[in-house]
Amino acid sequence: MSCVCRSTMTKRKGNTGTKVTLKDAKKAIRMKPDGWRRLTLSNMGITIFPQCILKLTNMDELDLSRNQIQKIPEGIGKLSSLKWLDLHSNKLESVPESIGKLVDLTYLNLCNNRLTSSGLPTTLGSLTNLTSLNLGLNKLDALLPTMVPQESLQELGLFDNLFTILPDFVKALHNLTKLNIKRNPLLQVKQAGEEMETEKSDEEDGVYLVHESRLCNMCLKICKDPGGRHLRGDCVRKKYEDKRSYSGLVTPNSVAAVNQDVWRAKNLEHYQSFESNI
């Protein structure tokens, strides 16, 4: 069915990318088994956010991923019924404050864009029902303290950014079970007597959240040390290496080493090949 929709829209493709009409959008909405209404406009070559979809206020899920959208309009706040929003792999440099009006959102994917810390809205903390937030593959070096109210957050992706320290508010996310901070230039502080020294962490290092009941006595003792040291031995790695799955937090191309421009070029090639066979 998605192929039919794509074929219809490519006929109206101009210099500014694929044109999506209200009629197109309505036809593309699908009812899922759980009763949620989903609109998928992924990988359509869209460069400008389709204003017409702001009239579809009864959508539960919206997928605009893998396009080349540079700006999300303030009107996004009108889609108050949204529970799931995927904007990964676009060219977004900022997100409007009005996104804070989408208070029913449980899933938000902003991975693989061009977001800087100043481009994040202060209203993200208003999304108190969020369980999964993916901010990986951006240019973030800090997160706003206003995100603290997100106590429902269970999955957080911060991989492939510019963080040198783990944001303090992460410690307050008591329901967080999955955290991906790989490939950040994190600085780790080690104490040797009264002297302090910093060293750049291994790019492949991550933070693993495990329940204390799964740790051996030695590791449990280290975790409860007032010094607050992180476990870095093989104990956790061996036990959990095969369990390090980040649902909804993986990079869209599954290989973070491939940068955004290369990934886009490969997908554009595939898309053009697909289009020529329609």
Side-chain angles (χ1 to χ4, degrees), residues 37-238:
R37 294 168 297 275
R38 178 185 178 93
L39 174 57
T40 301
L41 298 174
S42 177
N43 199 18
M44 292 288 190
I46 299 171
T47 58
I48 299 176
F49 187 97
Q51 293 281 344
C52 63
I53 68 176
L54 298 179
K55 297 179 180 180
L56 303 176
T57 55
N58 62 342
M59 283 187 300
D60 299 293
E61 300 187 2
L62 175 59
D63 184 356
L64 280 167
S65 64
R66 302 179 184 182
N67 286 294
Q68 300 191 38
I69 300 171
Q70 299 181 29
K71 185 177 180 180
I72 301 298
E74 284 289 341
I76 190 76
K78 295 178 182 179
L79 303 178
S80 56
S81 63
L82 277 185
K83 302 177 181 65
W84 195 96
L85 179 58
D86 193 345
L87 296 169
H88 87 253
S89 303
N90 278 284
K91 296 184 177 181
L92 301 177
E93 296 183 358
S94 64
V95 178
E97 294 289 332
S98 59
I99 201 168
K101 296 179 180 179
L102 307 181
V103 294
D104 288 334
L105 271 187
T106 60
Y107 175 93
L108 178 59
N109 191 348
L110 295 169
C111 170
N112 198 24
N113 278 284
R114 300 174 178 179
L115 297 173
T116 60
S117 297
S118 61
L120 291 179
T122 59
T123 54
L124 269 183
S126 301
L127 305 178
T128 55
N129 288 310
L130 266 188
T131 58
S132 180
L133 175 61
N134 193 347
L135 296 171
L137 272 171
N138 280 292
K139 300 177 180 180
L140 306 173
D141 57 12
L143 290 181
L144 301 171
T146 53
M147 293 178 65
V148 173
Q150 294 179 329
E151 295 182 0
S152 61
L153 206 59
Q154 298 174 18
E155 301 179 352
L156 178 60
L158 301 176
F159 54 89
D160 293 280
N161 275 290
L162 303 174
F163 293 101
T164 55
I165 59 174
L166 188 65
D168 288 337
F169 87 92
V170 172
K171 301 174 185 177
L173 301 176
H174 302 300
N175 293 313
L176 196 65
T177 58
K178 296 177 182 177
L179 173 64
N180 189 345
I181 59 168
K182 288 193 172 191
R183 291 174 295 276
N184 276 283
L186 292 174
L187 297 174
Q188 294 186 332
V189 180
K190 291 186 175 182
Q191 185 171 8
E194 294 182 356
E195 296 182 359
M196 300 292 287
E197 63 177 358
T198 61
E199 65 176 14
K200 190 172 182 179
S201 65
D202 188 331
E203 289 187 350
E204 293 302 318
D205 280 350
V207 171
Y208 307 92
L209 301 179
V210 295
H211 194 274
E212 63 179 37
S213 63
R214 294 180 176 244
L215 296 175
C216 66
N217 291 334
M218 180 179 296
C219 290
L220 183 59
K221 184 177 180 181
I222 292 175
C223 284
K224 292 185 175 181
D225 188 326
R229 290 185 294 165
H230 295 295
L231 287 179
R232 294 180 57 81
D234 291 334
C235 181
V236 174
R237 290 182 184 276
K238 288 180 179 178

